[in-house]
Amino acid sequence: LEVAAQLLLADMPKPAGPTARMRLIRVLLDLIEKDGPVARLELPPETVLFQAGTESRDLYLLLQGQMRAMVERLDGTRVRVAQFRHGALIGELAHYAAGVRTAAVISAHRY
């Protein structure tokens, strides 16, 4: 499913003007520069941003690089359930549902 979604998104026409997500990124970057309620994190590859089962207190917007969501199966093996690229909003499901995180999110490589 992940590969199919990536192929479909790659074929979609690019917007002519700034998208809502691009405008949001600009607003957040402006808040970072003004020492607002937004902080910038830089993570080395293979760093855990958060673990499954933890309380959701923050939302993350991926500005550069990639991250992946991993879940643990009953047999203890881990499987990737999502791959995030720049512009992705991360952690919103548990945050808006006022629940716990359902997956671990780990930084991947940088572009």
Side-chain angles (χ1 to χ4, degrees), residues 16-68:
T19 64
R21 186 173 304 267
M22 292 166 66
R23 290 190 302 271
L24 173 62
I25 290 170
R26 287 185 190 139
V27 168
L28 293 175
L29 289 174
D30 190 44
L31 287 172
I32 291 169
E33 291 175 7
K34 295 179 180 177
D35 292 326
V38 177
R40 184 182 190 116
L41 299 174
E42 292 190 26
L43 303 175
E46 302 306 316
T47 300
V48 176
L49 179 62
F50 54 77
Q51 293 283 1
T54 58
E55 185 178 329
S56 175
R57 294 187 181 158
D58 301 302
L59 298 173
Y60 301 91
L61 180 65
L62 184 57
L63 298 176
Q64 184 178 0
Q66 295 184 19
M67 301 196 83
R68 63 185 181 277

Side-chain angles (χ1 to χ4, degrees), residues 7-18:
L7 291 172
L8 286 171
L9 290 173
D11 286 341
M12 295 189 74
K14 305 291 184 233

Side-chain angles (χ1 to χ4, degrees), residues 51-52 70-81 102-104:
Q51 293 283 1
M70 306 289 289
V71 295
E72 191 169 316
R73 294 179 177 168
L74 294 176
D75 65 3
T77 59
R78 298 180 92 191
V79 62
R80 184 179 73 188
V81 294
T102 57

